[in-house]
Amino acid sequence: MKSSIAKRSIVIAGHKTSVSLEDPFWNALKEIAGGRDTTLSDLVAIIDSDRQHSNLSSAIRLFVLAFYCDRISDSQDSKLQLVA
């Protein structure tokens, strides 16, 4: 399964920049922003301000991965509480 990388322009803190991500990451990022009632630009600005050394595209990928890993962990914790 091949995923194409899409380069998109986004405004972060008043500055226009371009970010290259695979479509599934763009879709996940939009879903996360929608779930938080925030804009894609605002969410990327938060990710940008929190990143350490990686480039912005990598920071976004790591953010999306962490978000879904946390969801899986929370789901497993909930199941364990129901069993206990």
Side-chain angles (χ1 to χ4, degrees), residues 37-50:
D37 282 334
T38 190
T39 65
L40 189 62
S41 292
D42 286 345
L43 181 57
V44 172
I46 292 167
I47 295 167
D48 185 43
S49 68
D50 289 344

Side-chain angles (χ1 to χ4, degrees), residues 9 11-12 22 24 53 57 61 65 69 71 73-75 77 83:
S9 295
V11 177
I12 304 171
E22 296 80 2
H53 302 287
S57 295
R61 287 184 188 97
L65 177 63
C69 284
R71 277 179 109 183
S73 177
D74 290 346
S75 174
D77 290 344
V83 173

Side-chain angles (χ1 to χ4, degrees), residues 14-81:
H15 301 288
K16 189 175 181 181
T17 189
S18 24
V19 179
S20 299
L21 291 171
E22 296 80 2
D23 287 333
F25 283 102
W26 281 118
N27 294 336
L29 200 58
K30 290 176 193 174
E31 179 180 297
I32 295 166
R36 292 183 175 193
D37 282 334
T38 190
T39 65
L40 189 62
S41 292
D42 286 345
L43 181 57
V44 172
I46 292 167
I47 295 167
D48 185 43
S49 68
D50 289 344
R51 70 184 165 121
Q52 301 289 317
H53 302 287
S54 59
N55 65 46
L56 184 55
S57 295
S58 294
I60 292 170
R61 287 184 188 97
L62 291 172
F63 172 84
V64 169
L65 177 63
F67 177 85
Y68 286 107
C69 284
D70 288 346
R71 277 179 109 183
I72 290 169
S73 177
D74 290 346
S75 174
Q76 290 174 344
D77 290 344
S78 295
K79 287 178 185 175
L80 288 175
Q81 288 174 0

